[in-house]
């Protein structure tokens, strides 16, 4: 499994196998069961999670008591509550496994130590954050410029394997509508 992480790092920063073995010492690995929460609202966000295998989601519970999914993370994606993680604050989010997952995770303190010991990893994390920020920008653009139907079709067009993998009620939550409305859209596609 660690080869997956090494391959991901190599996309952005060149490190030797020996350096990688030392870098891994800053991380821990965990198997997460389906529907297991890694983080719950009100907890201090202590970790940044990298998905080796599986699927995570980040969500909050809105004023109506409904779960609103804000992000997903599949293999080779990172997930945390960035503000709470960086500032060691209580989070307003939950992070939950959608599928049985294997993750690497790092604490904020260990990440700082890692970056001091291996400055090359600054470049790696810069690219990780840039990509996450770009994805958030596109999601905001789609929320404001596309109808809910168009947003679903855009997601389906760009990430068909992802849409097939994620339960429909979670896709609906991510797009901001009810599972029933998504079901209606999907029926129109078929007919």
């Amino acid at each position: 499994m660690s080869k997956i992480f090494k391959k991901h790092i190599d996309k952005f920063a060149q490190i030797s196998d020996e350096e990688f073995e030392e870098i891994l010492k800053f991380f821990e690995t965990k198997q997460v069961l389906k529907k297991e929460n890694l983080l719950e609202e009100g907890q201090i966000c202590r970790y940044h999670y990298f998905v080796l295998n599986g699927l995570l989601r980040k969500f909050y519970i809105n004023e109506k008591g409904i779960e609103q999914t804000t992000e997903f993370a599949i293999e080779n994606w990172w997930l945390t509550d960035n503000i709470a993680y960086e500032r060691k604050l209580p989070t307003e989010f939950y992070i939950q496994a959608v599928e049985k997952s294997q993750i690497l995770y790092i604490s904020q303190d260990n990440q700082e130590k890692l970056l001091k010991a291996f400055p090359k990893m600054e470049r790696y994390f810069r690219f990780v954050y840039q990509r996450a920020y770009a994805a958030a920008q596109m999601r905001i653009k789609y929320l404001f410029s596309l109808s809910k139907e168009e947003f679903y079709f855009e997601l389906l067009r760009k990430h068909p394997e992802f849409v097939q993998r994620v339960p429909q009620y979670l896709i609906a939550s991510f797009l901001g509508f009810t599972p029933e409305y998504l079901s209606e859209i999907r029926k129109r596609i078929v007919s």
Side-chain angles (χ1 to χ4, degrees):
M1 280 293 171
S2 63
K3 288 179 184 176
I4 293 168
F5 186 45
K6 170 77 164 76
K7 190 174 177 182
H8 194 261
I9 293 172
D10 285 342
K11 286 180 177 177
F12 309 108
Q14 300 309 307
I15 57 169
S16 68
D17 290 341
E18 295 76 26
E19 287 173 315
F20 181 67
E21 289 305 315
E22 291 301 309
I23 286 167
L24 273 182
K25 293 177 182 176
F26 291 90
F27 291 84
E28 295 185 56
T29 311
K30 180 176 180 151
Q31 289 279 350
V32 189
L33 299 174
K34 182 178 180 177
K35 298 221 175 194
E36 183 179 340
N37 288 333
L38 293 165
L39 182 67
E40 295 183 9
E41 181 180 7
Q43 292 179 334
I44 301 295
C45 182
R46 301 188 190 286
Y47 303 107
H48 200 175
Y49 304 100
F50 179 82
V51 180
L52 294 166
N53 181 298
L55 173 63
L56 304 179
R57 75 174 176 130
K58 183 166 78 175
F59 67 96
Y60 68 94
I61 299 176
N62 70 20
E63 65 283 348
K64 295 177 184 173
I66 297 169
E67 293 178 3
Q68 183 68 58
T69 301
T70 60
E71 284 182 72
F72 289 101
I74 58 174
E75 290 82 6
N76 294 318
W77 291 9
W78 286 91
L79 189 63
T80 193
D81 173 352
N82 286 301
I83 293 170
Y85 175 72
E86 294 297 328
R87 297 180 184 167
K88 299 181 183 178
L89 297 172
T91 184
E92 296 179 20
F93 294 93
Y94 293 79
I95 295 179
Q96 183 182 75
V98 176
E99 303 171 352
K100 182 179 174 186
S101 303
Q102 185 172 13
I103 58 167
L104 273 179
Y105 62 100
I106 189 167
S107 69
Q108 209 266 341
D109 290 338
N110 272 358
Q111 188 170 338
E112 286 302 315
K113 290 175 189 171
L114 169 67
L115 297 177
K116 282 183 184 157
F118 294 93
K120 293 177 186 180
M121 292 299 287
E122 287 271 3
R123 176 181 168 81
Y124 170 73
F125 279 106
R126 178 170 51 86
F127 277 100
V128 166
Y129 283 115
Q130 284 174 340
R131 287 188 170 199
Y133 184 68
Q137 282 181 309
M138 289 309 293
R139 180 158 190 253
I140 290 167
K141 178 183 181 237
Y142 292 155
L143 282 170
F144 286 113
S145 64
L146 300 178
S147 71
K148 292 181 183 220
E149 235 175 87
E150 291 169 328
F151 194 176
Y152 174 72
F153 290 128
E154 190 65 17
L155 186 64
L156 189 59
R157 186 180 68 76
K158 286 190 173 179
H159 305 286
E161 72 294 336
F162 179 76
V163 173
Q164 293 303 313
R165 185 173 171 186
V166 176
Q168 293 303 298
Y169 76 97
L170 293 180
I171 294 287
S173 170
F174 178 70
L175 296 173
F177 44 81
T178 66
E180 294 78 17
Y181 184 69
L182 179 57
S183 203
E184 286 177 31
I185 293 170
R186 295 184 77 218
K187 282 179 193 169
R188 279 185 258 155
I189 296 170
V190 176
S191 47

